[in-house]
Amino acid sequence: MQSKTSFFNMALFKKNISRTWIAGLLYFVLLLLMLPVYFVINTANINGDDWYTRLGYTMEMRLYEHMSSIPTTFLAIIISIIVTGITFWYLFNRRDNYMMHSFPVSRRSLFFTGILSSLTVSLLPVVLVSVIMTIAAAARGCSGLVCIWYWALIVAVSTLLFTAIAIFSLMISGQIVTGIIFYFIFNFLYLMMEIAFRLTASILIWGLSETMNGIQYKIWTPVLYIPDKAKVLSNIVMDDNYTQVIHFDHSFMGGDILAIYAVAAIVIIIVSYQLYRFKKLETVLDFIAVPFMKPVFSVGMSFFISMVAGAFISGMVEALTPLSYDTKFGIAIISALILGVIIYFATQMLIEKTLRVFCAKKAFHCGIYSLAALAILLCMRLDVIGIENKVPALKDIEWAGIENDYTMVFTDEMEIEAFRQMHQNFLTDKKELRNINYNYPDVDGKTFSIRYKLKNGDIVIRSYPVINTEASVVSSEYLAATQPILDFVNNPGRIKEHVIGNIWNNCEVKSMDFGIVIDVPETHDYYMEYTEFDELSTKEKKAKFKRVYDEFLKDVDAGKVFQQSFAGYDYQYDANQKTTLYNSFDFVIKNPDVLYFSDSDTFYDNDYGTSGDVLHEQSIYVELNTDCTNTLKALKDEGFYSDEKDLITNYDFSRKYESYGYSDSDDYVYEDPDGDLAPWD
């Protein structure tokens, strides 16, 4: 037997390996299938006539693309807790616990030998598969084999970190099940705390109803942060027609992040060892085996669960009856405090494994917790840290955007500053704006959103309820706060730049359609008919489309289309239906030399697409009305329709539609027997 002061014990190491090798073998098989086997199968026809070869992919591109898609942390987080849990299983069985600690082996040897054996079983499959993958890739003629080993490095550091967190979780618990639960709680603790605050804020705090959409993964949640910040990056650029590779580059991201996590893992291991050194044997089967973690757990559970539950209770009450901002917050605070006390004593019962937890000492601790919780909730109500008034500084903003009836995103510095000033002006009278729906329950309205994309990657989202500015009962203060927003977005220049798009004044009109409703009375059916102009050449058709487009821009300048308001959908519904045309009108604009900037895709952080055509063109759908005289005249002059009877408003269409026995809710599509007409629904 080796010395009790040794860090490593070979007999114990072999024993640990004998109990965990099967997990390592299964892990090896999984990695083998995901890396070399899948890669070889996927590139089997690389010298033939496969799709990738025709696009111009090289084997290096295929390799980098393959390695960039293989998961890292999602494998490591599972294997780490499995192997570590099996290795330290003896800590959670009373008989095994006393037996292991009666042997002439120090806790130091037990601890560090356990770590070494766990890492051996977890990392050896990664190394072996990386070797096999390197051989397979080299045999396929790949260069850039270093990407395989950078992937292996990411997995290795992730495994080290998750093993450290697993050991810490097992050291603070006396039960294997709760140890595993704590493991996943610790890995997602920061994210869960952030979600709890965001949920509460989305219900209670003015302007933050969409705050759940702004979650950005932080360094405190490594299982999600590492794949985003530390990875093999493969960038393959295709031509405009997506038929040929024109550029390829790659990089290895996140080396500094991996170094930070490696240091953090070592620190956690050292802390875990100190916990193990002083861990009492009789804490086996205790819910929490470390005394200092008991109040942390009970207070944390009480506060976060009660805070979210209190907000939901307030939200449910508001759904039943209108509440002022202060009343809603008051209900949330009272509910949270009551629930917090209940949950506090419930967790004490769970920790102490007894119902006898009601005593003066615990009541005093509960009182301290309640005061602290009250202080935090009041700070949220009083907006102590200025969340409600936050408007990012100009130097920090990459773009600013607004979404109402249409979406606009501003990247020009002057426009961003004007937008910021407009937002700040809106926030000057929060007292009335907070209670706008409560004070004017009979005035229709909606909600609009503001987003800022910051240069550091963060997104600031605000969402505000508003009411119809044309209502006679609204105050002058409300108009002063809201009307500038409508004036800003209804500016014809901004409409053309951001609703139609950045190529509005330098584009060709690729296609244009105007639908005429054709009535089929004998079958009580309708269909939409489009003039195709098949007798014209492509050049002649584009010239015709351009003439209509130019007249359409005149209607935009006159404020006839794409106008936004804060009125709800039902405001002057009948009057609007009598002027809005049911006839469909859409066109596609394109500039092959300029990338189309999609305001909506940028606002919602969506990819524009991979096709070159998608990046250079855009389909514009327009809801015309009877006031669009320039557009309608041009459509008639150019032969899209021939008679005023071809125009039909939504109101007239609905009356005709209902006369045939259909309701507005019916999902009806005309089946064209000839197959040459576009159906409508």
Side-chain angles (χ1 to χ4, degrees):
M1 183 66 66
Q2 295 183 10
S3 170
K4 291 186 64 175
T5 61
S6 173
F7 282 89
F8 178 77
N9 185 287
M10 180 57 73
L12 183 60
F13 179 80
K14 293 179 179 179
K15 181 67 175 178
N16 290 340
I17 296 295
S18 70
R19 290 186 295 140
T20 57
W21 69 269
I22 187 65
L25 177 61
L26 294 175
Y27 187 38
F28 171 76
V29 172
L30 176 62
L31 291 177
L32 193 68
L33 294 174
M34 293 176 63
L35 273 79
V37 172
Y38 181 78
F39 179 75
V40 170
I41 293 174
N42 200 35
T43 59
N45 297 321
I46 191 65
N47 295 321
D49 188 30
D50 75 326
W51 183 71
Y52 285 100
T53 302
R54 292 194 299 271
L55 288 177
Y57 273 72
T58 65
M59 284 304 301
E60 182 184 21
M61 297 178 194
R62 297 290 293 274
L63 176 62
Y64 272 91
E65 193 168 63
H66 177 69
M67 296 309 302
S68 67
S69 65
I70 302 298
T72 51
T73 57
F74 298 108
L75 298 172
I77 193 173
I78 299 299
I79 190 65
S80 296
I81 187 60
I82 291 175
V83 175
T84 307
I86 295 173
T87 301
F88 289 92
W89 188 277
Y90 66 88
L91 292 174
F92 309 103
N93 180 282
R94 198 177 301 276
R95 177 185 172 186
D96 293 343
N97 189 34
Y98 281 101
M99 181 181 67
M100 288 294 294
H101 290 97
S102 66
F103 290 151
V105 181
S106 68
R107 291 197 178 190
R108 179 190 301 170
S109 293
L110 289 171
F111 183 83
F112 287 103
T113 302
I115 288 179
L116 183 59
S117 62
S118 297
L119 290 174
T120 299
V121 173
S122 300
L123 293 179
L124 187 59
V126 177
V127 175
L128 291 177
V129 169
S130 297
V131 171
I132 297 172
M133 181 66 198
T134 301
I135 295 172
R140 301 296 293 160
C142 296
S143 57
L145 301 178
V146 67
C147 67
I148 300 171
W149 292 98
Y150 191 75
W151 172 87
L153 175 64
I154 297 173
V155 176
V157 173
S158 301
T159 303
L160 175 64
L161 176 65
F162 293 133
T163 299
I165 298 174
I167 292 173
F168 178 81
S169 304
L170 297 176
M171 291 304 132
I172 67 171
S173 177
Q175 303 174 19
I176 185 64
V177 174
T178 54
I180 295 173
I181 293 173
F182 287 152
Y183 171 71
F184 286 102
I185 287 177
F186 289 142
N187 274 294
F188 293 95
L189 181 60
Y190 180 86
L191 181 62
M192 291 189 295
M193 292 169 59
E194 182 179 4
I195 289 175
F197 276 114
R198 285 178 177 270
L199 275 174
T200 304
S202 67
I203 298 172
L204 297 179
I205 299 181
W206 179 66
L208 270 68
S209 61
E210 292 186 45
T211 190
M212 286 298 295
N213 296 329
I215 294 177
Q216 301 284 314
Y217 299 135
K218 304 296 184 182
I219 196 170
W220 312 109
T221 310
V223 67
L224 300 174
Y225 189 78
I226 291 177
D228 186 48
K229 301 296 183 181
K231 57 186 175 182
V232 176
L233 187 63
S234 173
N235 181 33
I236 298 174
V237 181
M238 310 297 292
D239 62 10
D240 281 351
N241 296 320
Y242 203 61
T243 58
Q244 189 68 34
V245 173
I246 59 174
H247 179 69
F248 166 71
D249 60 69
H250 59 80
S251 60
F252 303 121
M253 294 176 55
D256 54 341
I257 298 298
L258 296 178
I260 293 172
Y261 279 128
V263 173
I266 294 173
V267 172
I268 295 172
I269 289 173
I270 293 173
V271 172
S272 301
Y273 171 61
Q274 297 304 318
L275 293 177
Y276 185 48
R277 282 182 60 200
F278 300 103
K279 188 174 185 178
K280 297 180 180 180
L281 300 183
E282 59 269 23
T283 60
V284 175
L285 301 182
D286 282 0
F287 186 79
I288 297 179
V290 180
F292 78 86
M293 285 297 298
K294 294 180 179 180
V296 173
F297 177 79
S298 59
V299 170
M301 290 285 290
S302 303
F303 176 73
F304 285 104
I305 294 178
S306 64
M307 179 179 66
V308 175
F312 272 102
I313 290 174
S314 177
M316 287 189 295
V317 174
E318 187 182 32
L320 298 174
T321 181
L323 298 176
S324 67
Y325 185 75
D326 289 335
T327 303
K328 181 173 69 173
F329 229 114
I331 293 174
I333 291 175
I334 294 172
S335 301
L337 292 177
I338 294 174
L339 290 171
V341 172
I342 295 173
I343 297 172
Y344 178 85
F345 282 105
T347 55
Q348 289 297 314
M349 295 176 188
L350 186 64
I351 293 171
E352 303 296 338
K353 295 187 291 187
T354 178
L355 298 178
R356 299 180 179 180
V357 296
F358 299 99
C359 61
K361 181 179 180 181
K362 285 188 170 54
F364 177 73
H365 291 163
C366 183
I368 295 176
Y369 149 74
S370 298
L371 289 175
L374 176 62
I376 294 175
L377 291 170
L378 287 176
C379 287
M380 293 176 65
R381 165 60 186 88
L382 299 174
D383 193 27
V384 172
I385 61 176
I387 295 178
E388 289 184 359
N389 288 331
K390 182 179 180 181
V391 177
L394 178 63
K395 62 182 178 62
D396 298 328
I397 299 174
E398 181 179 328
W399 55 256
I402 183 170
E403 191 270 334
N404 185 40
D405 296 326
Y406 303 99
T407 303
M408 295 182 174
V409 171
F410 311 107
T411 57
D412 178 76
E413 188 171 293
M414 293 182 63
E415 273 197 315
I416 293 175
E417 179 57 24
F419 186 82
R420 286 184 66 258
Q421 294 299 326
M422 179 188 68
H423 188 190
Q424 288 178 330
N425 177 67
F426 179 78
L427 298 173
T428 55
D429 191 8
K430 292 192 299 184
K431 185 176 181 181
E432 179 175 357
L433 292 170
R434 279 172 169 170
N435 293 303
I436 195 68
N437 291 329
Y438 179 77
N439 292 336
Y440 302 100
D442 297 326
V443 180
D444 62 295
K446 60 171 65 170
T447 299
F448 77 95
S449 299
I450 288 175
R451 293 194 185 199
Y452 296 97
K453 175 69 175 292
L454 306 185
K455 293 177 181 177
N456 64 3
D458 290 344
I459 296 178
V460 178
I461 304 175
R462 295 294 180 264
S463 182
Y464 302 106
V466 287
I467 59 173
N468 185 10
T469 56
E470 297 179 11
S472 59
V473 295
V474 298
S475 67
S476 58
E477 290 80 8
Y478 174 74
L479 287 176
T482 56
Q483 191 59 47
I485 298 175
L486 294 177
D487 294 340
F488 189 84
V489 299
N490 286 330
N491 178 278
R494 293 193 179 93
I495 290 175
K496 289 184 285 190
E497 182 72 20
H498 299 286
V499 178
I500 300 177
N502 62 308
I503 62 174
W504 70 271
N505 61 341
N506 184 21
C507 64
E508 65 177 34
V509 184
K510 183 178 178 181
S511 64
M512 180 175 289
D513 290 307
F514 182 76
I516 300 173
V517 177
I518 303 299
D519 185 19
V520 187
E522 60 272 15
T523 58
H524 289 191
D525 284 338
Y526 308 89
Y527 61 86
M528 196 74 78
E529 184 178 67
Y530 301 91
T531 304
E532 300 294 341
F533 303 108
D534 292 331
E535 71 282 2
L536 301 179
S537 66
T538 300
K539 182 177 181 181
E540 290 172 329
K541 284 193 286 187
K542 288 184 178 181
K544 180 184 291 290
F545 301 155
K546 187 65 166 59
R547 289 191 290 270
V548 176
Y549 177 71
D550 290 339
E551 294 302 310
F552 168 72
L553 293 179
K554 293 180 181 179
D555 284 328
V556 173
D557 290 332
K560 303 301 182 182
V561 289
F562 296 137
Q563 291 292 295
Q564 304 186 55
S565 73
F566 288 152
Y569 177 76
D570 294 330
Y571 177 67
Q572 295 184 348
Y573 177 80
D574 290 339
N576 291 332
Q577 293 297 295
K578 290 179 180 179
T579 60
T580 303
L581 294 180
Y582 186 81
N583 304 80
S584 64
F585 177 56
D586 61 88
F587 53 87
V588 176
I589 56 175
K590 178 179 180 180
N591 186 330
D593 300 321
V594 179
L595 290 177
Y596 183 88
F597 180 84
S598 173
D599 289 69
S600 59
D601 285 339
T602 302
F603 188 85
Y604 292 108
D605 201 23
N606 296 328
D607 291 333
Y608 289 10
T610 54
S611 170
D613 280 341
V614 172
L615 296 174
H616 289 275
E617 66 181 43
Q618 181 70 4
S619 297
I620 309 297
Y621 300 90
V622 185
E623 194 174 62
L624 294 175
N625 56 71
T626 55
D627 291 333
C628 298
T629 54
N630 294 297
T631 306
L632 293 176
K633 183 178 183 303
L635 286 168
K636 184 177 181 181
D637 292 343
E638 298 298 333
F640 284 87
Y641 73 97
S642 58
D643 194 281
E644 302 302 325
K645 294 180 180 179
D646 292 332
L647 305 179
I648 183 170
T649 65
N650 285 340
Y651 177 79
D652 291 334
F653 178 82
S654 296
R655 288 199 306 168
K656 188 68 175 286
Y657 186 66
E658 292 175 359
S659 72
Y660 281 172
Y662 301 104
S663 66
D664 289 341
S665 61
D666 286 334
D667 185 13
Y668 173 76
V669 178
Y670 172 71
E671 299 294 339
D672 176 24
D674 298 324
D676 58 352
L677 298 174
W680 59 271
D681 60 284

